[in-house]
Amino acid sequence: MNSSGIYAVILAGGSGSRFWPLSRELYPKQLLKLIGDETMLQRTLRCAKIAARQENIYVVTHRQQVDAVRMQSNAIFALPPDHFIAEPQAKNTAAAIGLAAAILERKNPEAVMVVMPADHVILKTAPFAAAVRAASRLAAEGWLVTFGIKPLKPETGYGYIRRGGLLKKGLPGYRVDRFTEKPNLTTAKRYLSGGRYYWNSGIFVWKASAILAAIKELQPRLYKGLIAIQNAMGTPEEEKTIEEAYERLDSVSIDYGVLERLHKNLAVLPVEMGWSDVGSWTAIEQISRTDSMGNVTVGNVVDIGSRNSTLYADKRLVATIGLEDMVVVDTEDATLVCHKNRVQDVRKVVEILRKRKAEEHIVHRTVWRPWGSFTVLENGDRYKIKRILVNPKARLSLQLHHRRSEHWVVVAGTARVTCGERVYDIGVNESTYIPMKTKHRLENPGTTPLQIIEVQSGDYLGEDDMVRFQDDYGRKA
């Protein structure tokens, strides 16, 4: 198939619970550097460029993650703003894939989608590229294709696919006999010895029109919302229509909601491409180098005599002695210590934090923005102290806050301040005050990073107390 008709769609809207405390709700696994010097998303973007032309790559993510996703993408290669598809709510993979399909079908009725999770690893790119080419030929004939991974062990954390007969002569792969949910250990062992089962990789290839037809048949309410969105594209009603449609959608995965119930034109293509979904802290050792004692050590760690453990230090020194089969992960505001056989319970910790409304499951103390970053130094009753770093020649949006005032002190560089109708510069050891309900902007006119200390005061200090009037990065209020 002509490569101009192939589109890579990266799903990058995860919630970040499995790799807590390194991942957070607004900084999930796909934004982390778990392997080498690039994040999971950046590695996936490079794979996507193997599957499709750069101008045909799209990323679906949550609206609150768009800034971070765009920043990481731009570090690899720049995509047009409309290639970042922002969902107003997380409604699982059926909605995310359906939304991308609706957009691409309108753009190109013959579009073939290569759907890729942003937080998986593909170590062997040549077999992946060959599989995409083969699957694209199948998709052009109406097949919905999933990549199957030959099981290496009786894994109970993956879904399985049982293959049926070979496809017709000249076409690679097999018909899908059935999908199987995560099995118990006894069943997984039987699958491994039987030879007819594959792990479900979550990588799919199909025509946008074909998956929309399957959604229409099996998820009619979702289809109705997608068609309403498709009809509103390019009109003033587009954003409102997406909001209203997502409000009514059920949260369902593409596997459970569509593929497991589909009994026609479904194929599995076995691929040996060094795949891992990096599903928990214990998966790190499968894709990372270990030392002579079987440990994976990252960051500022001093270890004496530990075995088969994962030891991660963000900034602080972490010292470990005589651990075995343990996971230790330290960040600037939270630390995880658990046995390897309990890593799946990390989600339970995140759920407890969510019920407590604790910020430690939502964001890190340091939050990256297109213009730089900010770090929360202290958070008290009616006040918050931040360290703000603004990149050279960058500026924040023109904004105001209804429920807080701000006091800025310059630590390094020169700040250009807009406060109401005034625009003025302040230097090191100088300060300024931003009253509540006043339009303001912080800018770095220099060639070196600007650093300020910000003291917020008010009865509500959440990041959502903001009205944007102008923004250089296309962000909305």
Side-chain angles (χ1 to χ4, degrees), residues 209-264:
S209 57
I211 193 61
L212 286 173
I215 290 173
K216 181 179 181 181
E217 176 185 349
L218 299 169
Q219 295 291 328
R221 186 157 71 170
L222 171 58
Y223 180 78
K224 182 179 179 181
L226 294 174
I227 292 304
I229 292 170
Q230 191 181 63
N231 291 335
M233 288 175 186
T235 74
E237 297 297 311
E238 179 177 347
E239 187 171 341
K240 179 183 177 182
T241 303
I242 293 175
E243 292 274 359
E244 292 177 348
Y246 263 73
E247 191 67 38
R248 294 190 292 266
L249 295 183
D250 296 325
S251 179
V252 62
S253 72
I254 195 71
D255 302 83
Y256 179 77
V258 178
L259 301 182
E260 292 180 14
R261 302 167 58 191
L262 195 65
H263 301 293
K264 57 184 178 181

Side-chain angles (χ1 to χ4, degrees), residues 243-413:
E243 292 274 359
E244 292 177 348
Y246 263 73
E247 191 67 38
R248 294 190 292 266
L249 295 183
D250 296 325
S251 179
V252 62
S253 72
I254 195 71
D255 302 83
Y256 179 77
V258 178
L259 301 182
E260 292 180 14
R261 302 167 58 191
L262 195 65
H263 301 293
K264 57 184 178 181
N265 297 337
L266 196 56
V268 57
L269 190 63
V271 189
E272 294 187 15
M273 54 185 178
W275 171 90
S276 172
D277 78 337
V278 198
S280 67
W281 279 112
T282 55
I284 294 294
E285 64 193 37
Q286 301 169 14
I287 53 177
S288 302
R289 292 181 179 177
T290 58
D291 63 21
S292 59
M293 304 290 281
N295 300 313
V296 175
T297 303
V298 180
N300 191 14
V301 175
V302 174
D303 177 69
I304 300 174
S306 294
R307 293 176 177 271
N308 302 321
S309 294
T310 298
L311 311 172
Y312 184 100
D314 186 10
K315 294 179 180 178
R316 295 182 296 190
L317 169 66
V318 172
T320 51
I321 302 173
L323 302 182
E324 187 164 354
D325 295 325
M326 295 293 290
V327 173
V328 178
V329 183
D330 181 68
T331 69
E332 57 188 345
D333 64 344
T335 303
L336 169 70
V337 180
C338 74
H339 196 276
K340 280 186 176 182
N341 62 16
R342 298 294 299 274
V343 292
Q344 296 298 333
D345 290 339
V346 171
R347 290 184 173 187
K348 297 179 181 179
V349 174
V350 174
E351 187 57 36
I352 291 170
L353 294 174
R354 183 177 289 114
K355 290 178 180 178
R356 290 182 180 177
K357 298 182 179 179
E359 287 191 349
E360 285 84 356
H361 88 279
I362 300 175
V363 292
H364 288 282
R365 285 188 176 177
T366 297
V367 178
W368 298 94
R369 291 287 189 253
W371 43 260
S373 66
F374 68 82
T375 300
V376 177
L377 303 177
E378 188 170 345
N379 199 347
D381 183 22
R382 296 181 61 90
Y383 77 91
K384 181 184 290 186
I385 303 174
K386 290 181 176 180
R387 180 177 63 247
I388 298 177
L389 296 176
V390 185
N391 297 328
K393 306 300 182 182
R395 61 180 183 174
L396 284 66
S397 58
L398 181 64
Q399 59 189 252
L400 66 75
H401 311 294
H402 287 290
R403 298 173 65 178
R404 73 173 186 252
S405 60
E406 297 175 344
H407 192 98
W408 297 343
V409 180
V410 177
V411 176

